Amino acid sequence: MTTSEEFRQNRDNFCYRHPDRQSFVLCQRCLRTICPQCQTQGAVGVICPECMKEQRASQSPAQRKAQRRWVRGPVAVGTQRPTATYVIIAITAAAFVLQLFFPAFENALAFNSAYVIPSVAFEPWRLLTSVFLHSSFWHIGLNMLALWMIGRSLEPLLGHTRFVVLYLLSGLGGSVGVALLAPGIWVVGASGAVFGLLGALLVIGRHIGANITGILIVLGLNLVIGFLPGYNIAWQAHVGGLVVGGLIGLIYAGTRTRNARVLQISLLVAVGVALLALLIIPAVFYV
Ligand SMILES: [Zn+2]
Ligand SMILES: [Zn+2]
């Protein structure tokens, strides 16, 4: 494949200190690519070991002392944690507890394509809020397990913001998939977003050491659960999420150079706008 060949030959896609390690995260100071192990959390973004050393050397002893006092603990190299993954899991778990106690909470946030048809009912936030709701312990358990398995490999590679954008746009893609392919059904669940992470992982992360077999088993179980009586399956959400996630993976891989940042943001905005524009189809034809 020429694209993957090009990708491999572009040294901007790899850590400058470890040429065999793929990464999408740049040092905030020198803007070179660094792998998760070479990242040190700075005040804004991450910095590389060389810049870290220079910064330390340029500090006066008093500054160094102040930093030791105010920066919590020594900033250790290689501690880029999948914070956004944990935050998404926490929000989803909290939402599940609220669902158990307050049915009205679920009724106000679950997705049905009728709610994006202005002449019927217009509550567009349901496109995204439904991603944080679940229908059973199995449903949330398997989705969050898959999110954790993918997130801990993919988030350090992409950085927190790109990871969250990928998750939310994939979740939106899942809802749009349902609106287009299964208008009228009610859906909840992170499956679309999780399948989006999988799509991106398959496009950009085949070499990052994620346990893809394990992830596929968990997602397969998730699909099987969907076919059991009493559960609604929404394969349309899986397809929507997978397609959008793969697309965003391609965007991230293709705009990795340091001067392609504006292009990357523009393309992501374009994906979001295109997804919302697709909702014109159910609004016009399915009423
Ligand atoms: Zn640097
Ligand atoms: Zn490195």
Side-chain angles (χ1 to χ4, degrees), residues 28-246:
Q28 289 302 304
R29 206 154 165 263
C30 66
L31 296 176
R32 284 179 294 181
T33 306
I34 39 176
C35 72
Q37 206 208 316
C38 295
Q39 297 167 19
T40 301
Q41 192 63 53
V44 254
V46 293
I47 63 173
C48 73
E50 280 179 23
C51 292
M52 186 75 189
K53 219 156 104 186
E54 278 173 40
Q55 212 173 50
R56 284 252 167 87
S58 65
Q59 282 173 336
S60 69
Q63 277 177 319
R64 244 172 279 167
K65 200 178 164 194
Q67 190 174 31
R68 268 201 303 276
R69 187 171 299 165
W70 295 110
V71 177
R72 234 157 229 293
V75 259
V77 172
T79 51
Q80 192 51 341
R81 296 197 171 278
T83 319
T85 299
Y86 296 147
V87 170
I88 294 169
I89 292 174
I91 293 173
T92 309
F96 188 63
V97 172
L98 287 173
Q99 278 182 270
L100 291 178
F101 290 102
F102 307 103
F105 179 76
E106 181 174 329
N107 293 339
L109 301 179
F111 180 70
N112 184 305
S113 61
Y115 286 99
V116 290
I117 299 175
S119 60
V120 179
F122 195 58
E123 298 184 0
W125 60 84
R126 292 171 181 267
L127 286 161
L128 276 180
T129 50
S130 59
V131 172
F132 295 91
L133 304 181
H134 286 85
S135 58
S136 69
F137 280 108
W138 277 107
H139 192 206
I140 186 172
L142 288 170
N143 270 341
M144 293 302 102
L145 180 60
L147 166 59
W148 176 74
M149 289 172 84
I150 303 176
R152 64 185 178 151
S153 305
L154 197 57
E155 190 184 333
L157 177 87
L158 292 178
H160 309 304
T161 312
R162 281 188 206 89
F163 182 80
V164 171
V165 169
L166 167 66
Y167 189 82
L168 293 178
L169 281 178
S170 299
L172 179 63
S175 297
V176 172
V178 169
L180 289 178
L181 303 170
I185 72 160
W186 283 97
V187 279
V188 291
S191 308
V194 171
F195 270 78
L197 298 182
L198 176 72
L201 186 72
L202 294 177
V203 170
I204 61 182
R206 274 165 300 186
H207 316 292
I208 62 171
N211 179 1
I212 294 201
T213 314
I215 292 162
L216 290 177
I217 290 172
V218 172
L219 291 175
L221 271 176
N222 200 343
L223 285 177
V224 171
I225 293 283
F227 284 103
L228 295 177
Y231 293 91
N232 294 318
I233 60 149
W235 60 266
Q236 297 87 351
H238 302 151
V239 172
L242 193 66
V243 169
V244 172

